[in-house]
Every structure is written in structure tokens, then in C-alpha cells.
Amino acid sequence: MLPIDEPSDLFLHRETLTPSELALSAKLRAFVEGSVLPVINDAWERAEFPRGLLPELRDLDIAGTTIADYGGPGMTLREQGLTAFELSRGDGSVNTFMAVHSGLAMGTIHALGSPEQRQRWLPSMMQLERIGAFALTEPDHGSDAVALETTAERRGGRYVLNGRKRWIGNGASADIVLIWARDTSDGNVKAFVLDRAPGEDYPAGYDATDIAGKIGKRAIQQAEIDIVGLEIPSANLLAKSHDFRDVVAALDRTRLNVGWAALGHAVAAFDIALEYANERYQFGSALAGYQLVQERLVGMLTKISTMYGMCFRTTELGEIGDLTGTMTSMLKLHTAAASREVCREARDLLAGNGLLLENHVARHLTDSEINHTYEGTESIQTLLIGRDLTGISAFRRHARSETPATAESP
């Protein structure tokens, strides 16, 4: 028989969790079921982040994930993965909000900032008093973000930035915005921090507008940003930010979580479909009693089982320092595609009822489409893996390219 509490966990991966990991999982699941699910569909329809959840998110002590100093929780990689899994099992927008804030913004400041810069920004971000964003992608540069055109020109004690950004999570509401721009003095891409006090207007030269009309992850806003003559103090250039390899390293750190998030969406959709199949009667019998339905459920479980195995194994390799970029590319490639397929099957099993937000599957399905795109599309991950497999790069390189970019920022 399948595990009663976790029918999706056929190979008993959760049996390997430590008491602290189980406690974290239970805490997050209680938050999702008690606080997220009752409000998320309304927020999704309005395309607004449910900011009333911020105090509870703060009290969960998950901001910063693996950061152990500056007030951080010091999670293991597996605890970080479980956080992405449990939040995504509830809602993709809530997970992405925290992934942008904790992983991309805080993680980059911690990795590339000086001790003074870390102390200046991280403690308040740990408390969600100040929200972070990571501005990399541009209207004309998504997968080839290495060719970004936003510039930063040094003028005395400040840099003047000009350019455009697009698809920037939290970009129109964040207080700490990491803007990746090309330093005109040496041509290298570096991270510059826009720093505003909560509630204040953005400085002149930074004009951010939320993108409307998304089909997925509607409860987190992505912004289009016009940057014209934006002045950033030279002290806000991240001290260890030197070139585009720092971007690649930041995305490598977060891509592991995309796999766990994909697993969360798939497990949520599978659980809903399995319960529905047992409770829904047609032609005098439960749907679960029909061969075609059982075939679909087994196919979904098989995909989820491979996702579980990849998430746990890549995380284990990360803990011991053996995880490579090719491994995380394969993780992202497979889990994103499998999650989308599982969610699609679940939506189909619920038939017309699967189209209703109240049954949650439609939200996971459209969120899985977004998960499939950001942090590097399927094509980009394939080319990265193919390059390492064959030793031959199939990318068409920009004249300035150092390394192909691997992601559209969430």
C-alpha cells in the first residue's frame, strides 16, 4: 500500500528526514493550509500579493534560508528545499516571493557583499521589514542575459545607471533592488543596489510598472522597469561583484529550489486528483475504479517519484559539495517538464471542475507553466547539458559573451 499520509512518496523519502526537518515541514504545511489557501484564490484573481501574510512569513523564520549569520535561520540545503516544496505545494506566488527575496536578493548580498554591506541590508531583510528584488532580465535579453544593455557609468562618488528591465519579481514594490548593469569602465556586468526606506518613493530615474495579464503566478507582481539617469552611490556596488560569472553563480544557487518547487506543484495536483478520483462517481462507480483513470494516476505517480529522487539526490550532493551546474540543469529540465505534465493530467481528471480556482489544480497548472520558463527555459538547459556532454557549445554567442545566461528572472 502507498504511504497513507503521503501517497505521492512511494519510495519513502520522507522517512529519511530528521526531526528538525519534519518539524519545519509540519510548520510550513500548517501555515499553508491555515493561512495561504483561504486567501490565495482571491489574491490570484486580483493579481495582488497577499501582504497580510508577511507577519506570519516573518514568524516562520525562513527568510534567508541557508544564511546563518545576520539573524538568518542557517538552514541546510534540504531544509531550504523543503521550504520551497511546502510553499509551492500551497501556492507558487508565495514561494516565488520568498525565493526572490531570500535566494536571489539576500543570497547575492550575502555572497557578494562586504561585511558592511551585509550588515547594512541583511538584518532588516531577515525580518521582512525590507523586501528584496533581483533585476537581471531585460526586454531584449532573457536567456541571453549575458548581453544585457543596462549600463553603469562612474561619476565621482556615484554610478549613473541607464537601461530597462523586465519580469523583475517584486520590482515595483521592493526596498532593496539588485540591478545588474554593465560597468562602462571595464565592460563587466556587476550588481548595484538601489536602497530606499520602506514607504518612500523610488528615486528619480527608477520607474517600475507591474506587468498585467499573466496567466500564472498572478499573486506575485513582476515589473517592467525604465532606468534613466538613476544615481547609485558607489558604496552600493556589491564589493565582490566582478563580472557575469557572479550572476551564473547566483542562479546556480537558486536553481536547486526550482526543482523542489516543481515537485510541490506536482504533489499538490496529484493529491487533489487522487482524492477526487476516489470521491467522484460517474456511471455508478468511483472514477478511481476505471482502468483509464488508474493508468493516469500511476503515470503521475511515476513522474513524481523520479522528481522526488532527483530533488533528494541533488540536494545531498549539494550538501557535500559535489553538485555541478550540469546536475542542476538536468534537475530543472526534468522536474519542470514533469510537473507541468502531472498538473495537466490532474486538471484533465477533474474535467470541468479542474477549471475552477476553488479546486486549486488550475492555479498549480498555470504556475507550473511559469516554473517551466524561468531560471532557464527547457531549450537553454538542454544546450547547457549538451555542451557539457559533448564538449561542443551549440549557443550562438554574442560578441561580448563570457558564459551563456541560463535564466529569466522570476
Side-chain angles (χ1 to χ4, degrees), residues 56-322:
E56 289 184 76
L57 281 168
R58 178 199 61 216
D59 293 343
L60 288 172
D61 191 28
I62 58 175
T65 58
T66 59
I67 299 174
D69 46 10
Y70 303 97
M75 292 181 181
T76 65
L77 281 183
R78 192 154 74 171
E79 288 172 335
Q80 176 180 261
L82 288 169
T83 298
F85 168 76
E86 294 291 356
L87 291 180
S88 297
R89 192 172 180 175
D91 178 68
S93 296
V94 174
N95 177 65
T96 300
F97 176 89
M98 290 303 295
V100 171
H101 174 72
S102 289
L104 289 173
M106 295 182 67
T108 300
I109 290 172
H110 192 263
L112 302 180
S114 67
E116 184 278 328
Q117 290 172 327
R118 295 176 186 174
Q119 185 60 50
R120 195 188 334 162
W121 293 311
L122 290 179
S124 60
M125 296 177 79
M126 293 290 181
Q127 297 300 312
L128 295 178
E129 295 169 357
R130 308 181 78 191
I131 304 303
F134 185 93
L136 172 64
T137 303
E138 299 181 353
D140 295 327
H141 300 288
S143 295
D144 72 335
V146 66
L148 66 82
E149 298 178 52
T150 300
T151 60
E153 181 182 356
R154 181 72 179 263
R155 296 181 188 173
R158 67 191 190 282
Y159 284 88
V160 179
L161 275 60
N162 289 280
R164 297 175 65 199
K165 298 293 181 180
R166 185 169 172 82
W167 296 115
I168 308 306
N170 302 335
S173 59
D175 308 297
I176 307 294
V177 184
L178 274 67
I179 303 173
W180 294 91
R182 192 174 302 280
D183 187 341
T184 58
S185 68
D186 57 16
N188 286 329
V189 174
K190 301 173 184 178
F192 302 83
V193 179
L194 182 156
D195 180 356
R196 69 160 183 170
E200 285 190 356
D201 292 336
Y202 283 112
Y206 185 90
D207 185 13
T209 304
D210 288 328
I211 297 171
K214 292 190 303 174
I215 67 164
K217 298 207 176 184
R218 287 174 51 80
I220 179 176
Q221 290 85 13
Q222 273 95 10
E224 182 156 13
I225 305 169
D226 289 321
I227 301 171
V228 181
L230 174 64
E231 296 188 1
I232 300 289
S234 58
N236 287 18
L237 166 62
L238 289 185
K240 301 177 185 178
S241 172
H242 302 302
D243 55 42
F244 194 78
R245 285 172 293 188
D246 296 319
V247 178
V248 175
L251 296 175
D252 280 343
R253 287 193 298 270
T254 60
R255 193 167 297 120
L256 188 63
N257 283 348
V258 178
W260 283 95
L263 177 62
H265 289 301
V267 167
F270 173 78
D271 287 346
I272 294 167
L274 180 61
E275 181 179 4
Y276 185 87
N278 278 302
E279 295 180 351
R280 175 73 167 175
Y281 275 70
Q282 293 288 279
F283 304 104
S285 299
L287 289 180
Y290 291 98
Q291 292 177 349
L292 289 175
V293 173
Q294 290 191 8
E295 180 185 35
R296 284 183 159 189
L297 290 170
V298 170
M300 294 162 70
L301 179 60
T302 300
K303 291 182 176 68
I304 288 172
S305 295
T306 63
M307 295 169 69
Y308 257 115
M310 291 185 74
C311 286
F312 272 78
R313 179 55 178 162
T314 51
T315 301
E316 179 182 26
L317 291 170
E319 294 280 15
I320 62 176
D322 287 342

